[in-house]
Coordinates of all heavy atoms in Angstrom, one line a residue:
M827 N 17.3 10.5 2.1 CA 17.3 10.0 3.6 C 15.9 9.6 3.9 O 14.9 10.3 3.6 CB 17.8 11.2 4.4 CG 17.7 10.9 5.9 SD 18.2 12.4 6.8 CE 19.0 11.6 8.1
A828 N 15.8 8.4 4.5 CA 14.5 7.9 4.9 C 13.8 8.8 5.9 O 14.4 9.2 6.8 CB 14.6 6.5 5.5
Q829 N 12.5 9.0 5.7 CA 11.7 9.8 6.6 C 11.2 8.9 7.7 O 10.8 7.7 7.4 CB 10.5 10.4 5.8 CG 10.9 11.4 4.7 CD 11.6 12.6 5.3 OE1 11.1 13.2 6.2 NE2 12.8 12.8 4.8
P830 N 11.0 9.4 8.9 CA 10.4 8.6 10.0 C 8.9 8.4 9.7 O 8.3 9.3 9.3 CB 10.7 9.4 11.3 CG 10.9 10.8 10.7 CD 11.5 10.7 9.4
V831 N 8.5 7.2 10.0 CA 7.1 6.9 9.9 C 6.5 6.7 11.3 O 7.0 6.0 12.1 CB 6.8 5.7 9.0 CG1 5.3 5.4 8.9 CG2 7.4 5.9 7.6
T832 N 5.3 7.4 11.6 CA 4.7 7.3 12.9 C 3.2 6.9 12.6 O 2.6 7.4 11.8 CB 4.7 8.7 13.6 OG1 6.1 9.1 13.7 CG2 4.2 8.5 15.1
V833 N 2.9 5.9 13.4 CA 1.5 5.3 13.3 C 0.9 5.5 14.7 O 1.3 4.9 15.7 CB 1.5 3.8 12.9 CG1 0.1 3.3 12.9 CG2 2.1 3.7 11.6
Y834 N -0.2 6.3 14.8 CA -1.0 6.4 16.0 C -2.1 5.4 15.9 O -2.8 5.4 14.9 CB -1.6 7.8 16.2 CG -0.5 8.9 16.4 CD1 0.2 9.5 15.4 CD2 -0.1 9.2 17.7 CE1 1.2 10.4 15.7 CE2 0.9 10.1 18.0 CZ 1.6 10.7 17.0 OH 2.6 11.6 17.2
S835 N -2.2 4.5 16.9 CA -3.2 3.5 16.9 C -3.9 3.2 18.1 O -3.6 3.9 19.2 CB -2.4 2.2 16.4 OG -1.5 1.8 17.5
T836 N -4.8 2.2 18.1 CA -5.4 1.7 19.4 C -5.2 0.2 19.3 O -5.0 -0.4 18.2 CB -6.8 2.1 19.6 OG1 -7.6 1.6 18.5 CG2 -7.0 3.6 19.7
S837 N -5.4 -0.5 20.4 CA -5.3 -1.9 20.4 C -6.3 -2.7 19.7 O -6.1 -3.8 19.2 CB -5.3 -2.5 21.9 OG -4.2 -1.8 22.6
I838 N -7.6 -2.2 19.6 CA -8.6 -3.0 19.0 C -9.0 -2.6 17.6 O -10.0 -3.0 17.0 CB -9.9 -2.9 19.9 CG1 -10.4 -1.5 20.0 CG2 -9.6 -3.6 21.3 CD1 -11.8 -1.4 20.6
C839 N -8.2 -1.8 17.0 CA -8.6 -1.2 15.6 C -8.0 -2.1 14.5 O -6.8 -2.2 14.4 CB -7.9 0.2 15.5 SG -7.9 0.8 13.9
P840 N -8.9 -2.7 13.8 CA -8.4 -3.6 12.7 C -7.8 -2.8 11.6 O -6.9 -3.4 10.9 CB -9.7 -4.2 12.1 CG -10.9 -3.3 12.6 CD -10.4 -2.7 13.8
Y841 N -8.1 -1.6 11.3 CA -7.4 -0.7 10.3 C -6.0 -0.4 10.8 O -5.1 -0.3 9.9 CB -8.1 0.5 10.0 CG -9.5 0.2 9.2 CD1 -10.7 0.2 9.9 CD2 -9.4 -0.2 7.9 CE1 -11.8 -0.1 9.2 CE2 -10.6 -0.5 7.3 CZ -11.8 -0.4 7.9 OH -13.0 -0.8 7.3
C842 N -5.7 -0.3 12.0 CA -4.4 -0.1 12.6 C -3.6 -1.4 12.3 O -2.4 -1.2 11.8 CB -4.4 0.1 14.1 SG -5.4 1.6 14.5
V843 N -4.1 -2.5 12.5 CA -3.4 -3.8 12.2 C -3.0 -3.9 10.8 O -1.9 -4.2 10.4 CB -4.3 -5.0 12.7 CG1 -3.7 -6.3 12.2 CG2 -4.5 -5.0 14.2
R844 N -4.0 -3.5 9.9 CA -3.7 -3.6 8.4 C -2.6 -2.6 8.0 O -1.8 -2.9 7.2 CB -5.0 -3.4 7.7 CG -6.0 -4.5 7.9 CD -7.3 -4.3 7.2 NE -7.2 -4.6 5.8 CZ -8.1 -4.4 5.0 NH1 -9.3 -3.9 5.3 NH2 -8.0 -4.7 3.7
A845 N -2.6 -1.4 8.6 CA -1.7 -0.4 8.3 C -0.3 -0.9 8.7 O 0.7 -0.8 7.9 CB -2.0 1.0 8.9
K846 N -0.2 -1.4 9.9 CA 1.1 -1.9 10.4 C 1.6 -3.2 9.5 O 2.8 -3.2 9.2 CB 1.0 -2.3 11.9 CG 0.8 -1.0 12.7 CD 0.8 -1.4 14.2 CE -0.5 -2.1 14.6 NZ -0.6 -2.4 16.0
Q847 N 0.7 -4.0 9.1 CA 1.0 -5.1 8.2 C 1.6 -4.6 6.9 O 2.5 -5.2 6.4 CB -0.2 -6.0 8.0 CG -0.6 -6.9 9.2 CD -1.9 -7.7 9.0 OE1 -2.7 -7.3 8.1 NE2 -2.0 -8.7 9.7
L848 N 0.9 -3.6 6.3 CA 1.4 -3.1 5.0 C 2.8 -2.6 5.2 O 3.7 -2.8 4.4 CB 0.4 -2.1 4.5 CG 0.8 -1.4 3.3 CD1 0.9 -2.3 2.1 CD2 -0.1 -0.2 2.9
L849 N 3.0 -1.8 6.2 CA 4.3 -1.1 6.4 C 5.4 -2.3 6.6 O 6.5 -2.2 6.0 CB 4.3 -0.2 7.5 CG 3.5 1.1 7.3 CD1 3.3 1.9 8.6 CD2 4.2 2.0 6.2
T850 N 5.0 -3.3 7.4 CA 6.0 -4.3 7.7 C 6.2 -5.1 6.5 O 7.4 -5.5 6.2 CB 5.4 -5.2 8.8 OG1 5.2 -4.5 10.0 CG2 6.3 -6.4 9.1
Q851 N 5.2 -5.5 5.7 CA 5.5 -6.3 4.5 C 6.3 -5.5 3.5 O 7.1 -6.1 2.8 CB 4.1 -6.5 3.8 CG 3.3 -7.6 4.5 CD 1.9 -7.7 3.9 OE1 1.4 -6.9 3.1 NE2 1.1 -8.6 4.5
K852 N 6.3 -4.2 3.5 CA 7.1 -3.4 2.6 C 8.6 -3.2 3.2 O 9.4 -2.5 2.6 CB 6.5 -2.1 2.3 CG 5.2 -2.2 1.5 CD 4.6 -0.9 1.1 CE 5.5 -0.2 0.1 NZ 5.7 -0.8 -1.2
G853 N 8.8 -3.6 4.5 CA 10.1 -3.4 5.1 C 10.3 -2.0 5.5 O 11.4 -1.5 5.7
I854 N 9.2 -1.3 5.8 CA 9.2 0.1 6.2 C 9.2 0.2 7.8 O 8.2 -0.3 8.3 CB 8.1 1.0 5.6 CG1 8.3 1.0 4.1 CG2 8.1 2.4 6.2 CD1 7.1 1.7 3.4
A855 N 10.2 0.7 8.4 CA 10.3 0.8 9.8 C 9.3 1.9 10.3 O 9.2 2.9 9.6 CB 11.7 1.1 10.3
F856 N 8.6 1.7 11.4 CA 7.7 2.7 11.9 C 7.7 2.8 13.4 O 8.0 1.8 14.0 CB 6.3 2.5 11.4 CG 5.7 1.2 11.7 CD1 4.9 1.1 12.9 CD2 5.9 0.1 10.9 CE1 4.3 0.0 13.2 CE2 5.3 -1.1 11.3 CZ 4.5 -1.2 12.5
E857 N 7.4 3.9 14.0 CA 7.1 4.0 15.4 C 5.6 4.0 15.6 O 4.9 4.7 15.0 CB 7.7 5.3 15.9 CG 7.4 5.6 17.4 CD 7.8 6.9 17.9 OE1 8.1 7.8 17.1 OE2 7.8 7.1 19.1
E858 N 5.2 3.1 16.5 CA 3.8 3.0 16.8 C 3.6 3.7 18.2 O 4.3 3.4 19.2 CB 3.3 1.6 16.9 CG 1.9 1.5 17.3 CD 1.5 0.0 17.5 OE1 2.2 -0.9 17.5 OE2 0.2 -0.1 17.7
I859 N 2.6 4.6 18.2 CA 2.1 5.2 19.5 C 0.7 4.7 19.7 O -0.2 5.1 19.0 CB 2.3 6.8 19.4 CG1 3.8 7.1 19.2 CG2 1.7 7.3 20.7 CD1 4.1 8.5 18.9
N860 N 0.6 3.9 20.7 CA -0.7 3.3 21.0 C -1.5 4.3 21.9 O -1.0 4.5 23.1 CB -0.5 2.0 21.7 CG -1.8 1.2 21.9 OD1 -2.8 1.8 22.4 ND2 -1.9 0.0 21.5
L861 N -2.6 4.8 21.4 CA -3.3 5.8 22.2 C -4.0 5.2 23.4 O -4.4 6.0 24.3 CB -4.3 6.6 21.3 CG -3.6 7.3 20.2 CD1 -4.6 8.0 19.3 CD2 -2.7 8.4 20.7
D862 N -4.2 3.9 23.5 CA -4.7 3.3 24.7 C -3.7 3.4 25.9 O -4.1 3.6 27.0 CB -5.0 1.8 24.4 CG -6.1 1.6 23.5 OD1 -7.0 2.4 23.3 OD2 -6.1 0.5 22.8
K863 N -2.4 3.3 25.5 CA -1.4 3.4 26.5 C -0.9 4.9 26.7 O -0.3 5.1 27.8 CB -0.1 2.6 26.0 CG -0.5 1.1 26.0 CD 0.6 0.3 25.5 CE 0.2 -1.2 25.3 NZ 1.3 -2.0 24.7
H864 N -1.2 5.7 25.8 CA -0.8 7.1 25.8 C -2.0 8.0 25.5 O -2.0 8.8 24.6 CB 0.4 7.4 24.9 CG 1.6 6.6 25.1 ND1 2.5 6.9 26.1 CD2 2.0 5.5 24.5 CE1 3.4 6.0 26.0 NE2 3.2 5.1 25.1
P865 N -3.1 8.0 26.4 CA -4.2 8.8 26.1 C -4.0 10.3 26.1 O -4.8 11.0 25.4 CB -5.2 8.3 27.2 CG -4.4 7.8 28.3 CD -3.2 7.2 27.6
E866 N -3.1 10.7 26.7 CA -2.8 12.1 26.7 C -2.4 12.7 25.3 O -2.5 13.9 25.0 CB -1.7 12.5 27.7 CG -0.3 12.0 27.3 CD 0.1 10.6 27.4 OE1 -0.8 9.8 27.9 OE2 1.2 10.2 27.1
Q867 N -2.0 11.8 24.4 CA -1.6 12.2 23.1 C -2.8 12.3 22.1 O -2.7 12.8 21.0 CB -0.6 11.3 22.5 CG 0.7 11.5 23.3 CD 1.9 10.9 22.6 OE1 1.9 10.7 21.3 NE2 2.9 10.5 23.3
R868 N -4.0 11.7 22.5 CA -5.2 11.7 21.6 C -5.6 13.1 21.1 O -5.8 13.2 19.9 CB -6.3 11.0 22.3 CG -7.5 10.8 21.4 CD -8.6 10.0 22.0 NE -8.3 8.6 22.3 CZ -8.4 7.6 21.4 NH1 -8.9 7.9 20.2 NH2 -8.1 6.4 21.7
M869 N -5.7 14.0 22.0 CA -6.1 15.4 21.6 C -5.1 16.0 20.6 O -5.5 16.7 19.7 CB -6.3 16.3 22.9 CG -7.5 15.9 23.7 SD -9.1 15.9 22.7 CE -9.3 17.6 22.4
D870 N -3.8 15.8 20.9 CA -2.8 16.3 20.0 C -2.9 15.8 18.6 O -2.8 16.5 17.6 CB -1.4 16.1 20.5 CG -1.1 16.8 21.8 OD1 -1.7 17.9 22.1 OD2 -0.2 16.3 22.6
V871 N -3.1 14.4 18.5 CA -3.3 13.8 17.2 C -4.5 14.3 16.5 O -4.4 14.6 15.3 CB -3.4 12.2 17.4 CG1 -3.7 11.6 16.0 CG2 -2.1 11.7 17.9
M872 N -5.6 14.5 17.2 CA -6.8 15.0 16.6 C -6.6 16.4 16.1 O -7.1 16.8 15.0 CB -8.0 15.0 17.6 CG -8.5 13.6 17.9 SD -9.7 13.3 19.2 CE -10.7 14.8 19.2
K873 N -5.9 17.3 16.8 CA -5.6 18.6 16.4 C -4.7 18.6 15.2 O -4.9 19.4 14.2 CB -5.0 19.5 17.5 CG -6.0 19.8 18.6 CD -5.2 20.6 19.7 CE -6.2 20.8 20.9 NZ -5.5 21.4 22.0
R874 N -3.7 17.8 15.2 CA -2.8 17.8 14.1 C -3.4 17.2 12.8 O -3.1 17.7 11.7 CB -1.6 16.9 14.4 CG -0.5 17.6 15.3 CD 0.7 16.7 15.5 NE 1.5 16.4 14.3 CZ 2.3 15.3 14.2 NH1 2.5 14.5 15.2 NH2 3.0 15.2 13.0
S875 N -4.2 16.2 12.9 CA -4.8 15.5 11.8 C -6.1 16.1 11.4 O -6.5 15.9 10.2 CB -4.9 14.0 12.1 OG -5.9 13.8 13.1
G876 N -6.9 16.7 12.3 CA -8.2 17.1 12.0 C -9.2 15.9 11.9 O -10.3 16.1 11.4
R877 N -8.7 14.8 12.4 CA -9.6 13.6 12.4 C -9.6 13.0 13.7 O -8.8 13.1 14.6 CB -9.0 12.5 11.4 CG -8.9 13.0 10.0 CD -8.3 12.0 9.1 NE -8.2 12.4 7.7 CZ -7.8 11.6 6.7 NH1 -7.4 10.3 7.0 NH2 -7.7 12.1 5.5
R878 N -10.7 12.2 13.9 CA -10.9 11.5 15.2 C -10.7 10.0 15.2 O -10.8 9.4 16.2 CB -12.4 11.8 15.7 CG -12.8 13.2 15.8 CD -14.3 13.4 16.2 NE -14.5 12.9 17.5 CZ -14.4 13.6 18.6 NH1 -14.0 14.8 18.6 NH2 -14.7 13.0 19.8
T879 N -10.4 9.5 14.0 CA -10.2 8.1 13.8 C -8.8 7.6 13.9 O -7.8 8.4 13.8 CB -10.8 7.7 12.5 OG1 -10.1 8.4 11.5 CG2 -12.3 7.9 12.5
V880 N -8.5 6.3 14.1 CA -7.2 5.8 14.0 C -7.3 4.7 13.0 O -8.4 4.1 12.7 CB -6.8 5.2 15.4 CG1 -6.4 6.3 16.3 CG2 -7.7 4.2 16.0
P881 N -6.1 4.3 12.4 CA -4.8 4.9 12.6 C -4.7 6.3 12.0 O -5.5 6.7 11.1 CB -3.9 4.0 11.9 CG -4.7 3.4 10.7 CD -6.1 3.3 11.3
Q882 N -3.8 7.1 12.5 CA -3.3 8.3 11.9 C -1.8 8.1 11.6 O -1.1 7.8 12.5 CB -3.6 9.5 12.7 CG -5.1 9.9 12.8 CD -5.8 10.1 11.4 OE1 -5.2 10.8 10.5 NE2 -6.9 9.5 11.3
I883 N -1.4 8.4 10.4 CA -0.1 8.0 10.0 C 0.7 9.3 9.4 O 0.0 9.9 8.6 CB -0.1 6.9 8.9 CG1 -0.9 5.7 9.4 CG2 1.2 6.6 8.4 CD1 -1.5 4.8 8.4
W884 N 1.8 9.4 9.8 CA 2.7 10.5 9.3 C 3.9 9.9 8.7 O 4.5 8.9 9.3 CB 3.1 11.5 10.4 CG 2.2 12.6 10.6 CD1 2.2 13.8 10.1 CD2 1.0 12.6 11.5 NE1 1.1 14.7 10.5 CE2 0.4 13.8 11.4 CE3 0.4 11.6 12.3 CZ2 -0.8 14.2 12.1 CZ3 -0.7 12.0 12.9 CH2 -1.3 13.2 12.9
V885 N 4.4 10.5 7.6 CA 5.7 10.1 7.1 C 6.5 11.5 7.1 O 6.2 12.4 6.4 CB 5.6 9.6 5.6 CG1 7.0 9.4 5.1 CG2 4.9 8.4 5.6
G886 N 7.5 11.5 8.0 CA 8.2 12.8 8.3 C 7.1 13.8 8.8 O 6.3 13.5 9.7
E887 N 7.0 14.9 8.2 CA 6.0 15.9 8.6 C 4.7 15.9 7.7 O 3.8 16.6 7.9 CB 6.6 17.3 8.4 CG 7.8 17.6 9.4 CD 7.3 17.5 10.8 OE1 6.2 18.1 11.2 OE2 8.0 16.9 11.6
T888 N 4.7 14.9 6.8 CA 3.5 14.7 5.9 C 2.5 13.8 6.5 O 2.7 12.7 6.9 CB 4.0 14.1 4.6 OG1 4.9 15.0 4.0 CG2 2.8 14.0 3.6
H889 N 1.3 14.4 6.7 CA 0.2 13.6 7.3 C -0.4 12.8 6.1 O -0.9 13.3 5.1 CB -0.9 14.5 7.9 CG -2.0 13.8 8.4 ND1 -3.4 14.0 8.0 CD2 -2.2 12.7 9.3 CE1 -4.2 13.2 8.6 NE2 -3.5 12.4 9.4
V890 N -0.3 11.4 6.2 CA -0.8 10.5 5.1 C -2.3 10.3 5.4 O -3.0 10.3 4.4 CB -0.1 9.2 5.2 CG1 -0.7 8.2 4.3 CG2 1.4 9.4 4.8
G891 N -2.7 10.2 6.6 CA -4.1 9.9 6.9 C -4.2 8.5 7.6 O -3.4 8.1 8.4
G892 N -5.3 7.8 7.2 CA -5.5 6.5 7.8 C -5.1 5.4 6.9 O -4.4 5.6 5.9
F893 N -5.6 4.2 7.1 CA -5.2 3.0 6.4 C -5.6 3.1 4.9 O -4.7 2.8 4.0 CB -5.7 1.7 6.9 CG -5.6 0.5 6.0 CD1 -4.3 0.0 5.8 CD2 -6.6 0.0 5.3 CE1 -4.1 -1.0 4.9 CE2 -6.4 -1.0 4.4 CZ -5.1 -1.5 4.2
D894 N -6.8 3.5 4.6 CA -7.2 3.6 3.3 C -6.4 4.6 2.5 O -6.0 4.4 1.3 CB -8.7 4.1 3.1 CG -9.7 3.0 3.6 OD1 -9.3 1.8 3.6 OD2 -10.8 3.4 4.0
D895 N -5.9 5.7 3.1 CA -5.1 6.7 2.5 C -3.7 6.1 2.2 O -3.1 6.3 1.2 CB -4.9 7.9 3.3 CG -6.3 8.6 3.7 OD1 -7.0 8.9 2.7 OD2 -6.6 8.7 4.9
L896 N -3.2 5.4 3.3 CA -1.9 4.7 3.1 C -1.9 3.7 1.9 O -1.0 3.6 1.1 CB -1.5 4.0 4.5 CG -0.2 3.3 4.5 CD1 1.0 4.2 4.5 CD2 -0.1 2.4 5.7
W897 N -2.9 2.9 1.9 CA -3.1 1.9 0.9 C -3.2 2.5 -0.5 O -2.5 2.0 -1.5 CB -4.3 1.0 1.2 CG -4.5 -0.1 0.2 CD1 -3.8 -1.3 0.2 CD2 -5.3 -0.2 -0.9 NE1 -4.2 -2.1 -0.8 CE2 -5.2 -1.5 -1.5 CE3 -6.2 0.7 -1.5 CZ2 -5.9 -1.9 -2.6 CZ3 -6.9 0.3 -2.6 CH2 -6.8 -1.0 -3.2
A898 N -3.9 3.6 -0.6 CA -4.1 4.3 -1.9 C -2.7 4.9 -2.4 O -2.3 4.8 -3.5 CB -5.1 5.3 -1.8
L899 N -2.0 5.4 -1.4 CA -0.7 6.0 -1.7 C 0.3 4.9 -2.2 O 1.0 5.1 -3.2 CB -0.2 6.7 -0.4 CG 1.0 7.6 -0.5 CD1 0.7 8.8 -1.3 CD2 1.5 8.0 0.8
D900 N 0.2 3.7 -1.6 CA 1.1 2.7 -2.0 C 0.7 2.2 -3.4 O 1.6 2.0 -4.3 CB 1.0 1.5 -1.0 CG 2.0 0.3 -1.4 OD1 3.2 0.7 -1.7 OD2 1.6 -0.8 -1.3
R901 N -0.6 2.0 -3.6 CA -1.1 1.5 -4.9 C -0.8 2.5 -6.0 O -0.5 2.1 -7.2 CB -2.6 1.4 -4.9 CG -3.1 0.3 -3.9 CD -2.9 -1.1 -4.4 NE -3.8 -1.4 -5.6 CZ -3.8 -2.4 -6.2 NH1 -3.0 -3.4 -5.9 NH2 -4.5 -2.6 -7.3
A902 N -0.7 3.8 -5.7 CA -0.3 4.8 -6.7 C 1.2 4.9 -6.9 O 1.7 5.7 -7.7 CB -0.8 6.1 -6.3
G903 N 2.0 4.1 -6.1 CA 3.4 4.1 -6.3 C 4.1 5.3 -5.6 O 5.3 5.6 -6.0
K904 N 3.3 5.9 -4.7 CA 3.9 7.2 -4.1 C 4.4 7.0 -2.6 O 5.1 7.8 -2.2 CB 2.8 8.3 -4.2 CG 2.4 8.7 -5.5 CD 1.4 9.8 -5.5 CE 1.0 10.1 -7.0 NZ -0.1 11.1 -7.0
L905 N 4.1 5.8 -2.1 CA 4.6 5.7 -0.7 C 6.1 5.5 -0.5 O 6.6 6.2 0.3 CB 3.9 4.4 -0.1 CG 4.2 4.0 1.4 CD1 4.0 5.2 2.3 CD2 3.6 2.8 1.8
D906 N 6.7 4.6 -1.4 CA 8.1 4.4 -1.3 C 8.9 5.7 -1.5 O 9.8 6.0 -0.7 CB 8.5 3.3 -2.3 CG 8.0 2.0 -1.9 OD1 7.8 1.7 -0.7 OD2 7.8 1.1 -2.8
P907 N 8.6 6.5 -2.5 CA 9.4 7.8 -2.7 C 9.2 8.7 -1.5 O 10.1 9.4 -1.1 CB 8.8 8.3 -4.0 CG 8.2 7.2 -4.7 CD 7.7 6.3 -3.7
L908 N 7.9 8.7 -1.0 CA 7.7 9.6 0.2 C 8.5 9.2 1.4 O 9.2 10.0 2.0 CB 6.2 9.6 0.6 CG 5.8 10.5 1.7 CD1 6.1 11.9 1.4 CD2 4.3 10.3 2.0
V909 N 8.6 7.9 1.7 CA 9.4 7.4 2.8 C 10.8 7.6 2.5 O 11.6 8.0 3.4 CB 9.1 5.9 3.0 CG1 10.0 5.3 4.0 CG2 7.7 5.7 3.5
A910 N 11.3 7.5 1.2 CA 12.7 7.7 0.9 C 13.1 9.1 0.9 O 14.3 9.5 0.7 CB 13.0 7.1 -0.5
G911 N 12.1 10.0 1.1 CA 12.4 11.5 1.1 C 12.6 12.0 -0.3 O 13.2 13.1 -0.5
E912 N 12.0 11.4 -1.3 CA 12.2 11.8 -2.7 C 10.9 12.5 -3.2 O 10.9 13.0 -4.3 CB 12.4 10.5 -3.6 CG 13.7 9.8 -3.2 CD 13.8 8.5 -3.9 OE1 12.8 8.1 -4.7 OE2 14.8 7.8 -3.7
A913 N 9.9 12.6 -2.4 CA 8.6 13.2 -2.8 C 8.5 14.6 -2.3 O 9.1 15.0 -1.4 CB 7.5 12.4 -2.3

């Protein structure tokens, strides 16, 4: 069963754009939560991730990290199985 993918982003973040492009190119559906439009969620994301940067990406309950982490996961062949719920 496919895991939900959530991307916390901001409007001016180039790494957010790249993360969304990668997911879109792979045909992976995701929910984007723009922290510019939902600033009340910024503290929650920082607490959950332990990071202050965007994007912050979750696949199901698994915190992937930012764009570099997402890209590395894909290059290692581990993104698709994680999204498919096989990891």
Side-chain angles (χ1 to χ4, degrees):
M827 176 182 214
Q829 298 295 306
V831 178
T832 307
V833 178
Y834 291 88
S835 68
T836 62
S837 300
I838 62 169
C839 167
Y841 292 103
C842 298
V843 171
R844 294 176 79 186
K846 293 182 289 183
Q847 285 175 338
L848 175 63
L849 293 168
T850 299
Q851 287 170 354
K852 294 186 65 62
I854 297 172
F856 60 91
E857 175 187 11
E858 177 182 11
I859 299 173
N860 186 310
L861 296 176
D862 293 332
K863 297 176 183 172
H864 302 281
E866 71 282 357
Q867 293 195 25
R868 185 176 292 272
M869 290 304 292
D870 291 337
V871 172
M872 287 173 31
K873 287 178 187 174
R874 280 182 68 199
S875 68
R877 298 181 182 184
R878 302 178 66 86
T879 59
V880 289
Q882 290 303 318
I883 304 159
W884 272 265
V885 176
E887 294 299 315
T888 302
H889 179 235
V890 171
F893 169 71
D894 290 338
D895 304 303
L896 179 70
W897 185 79
L899 196 63
D900 185 47
R901 296 284 294 178
K904 296 180 181 177
L905 178 58
D906 292 331
L908 181 62
V909 171
E912 299 168 1

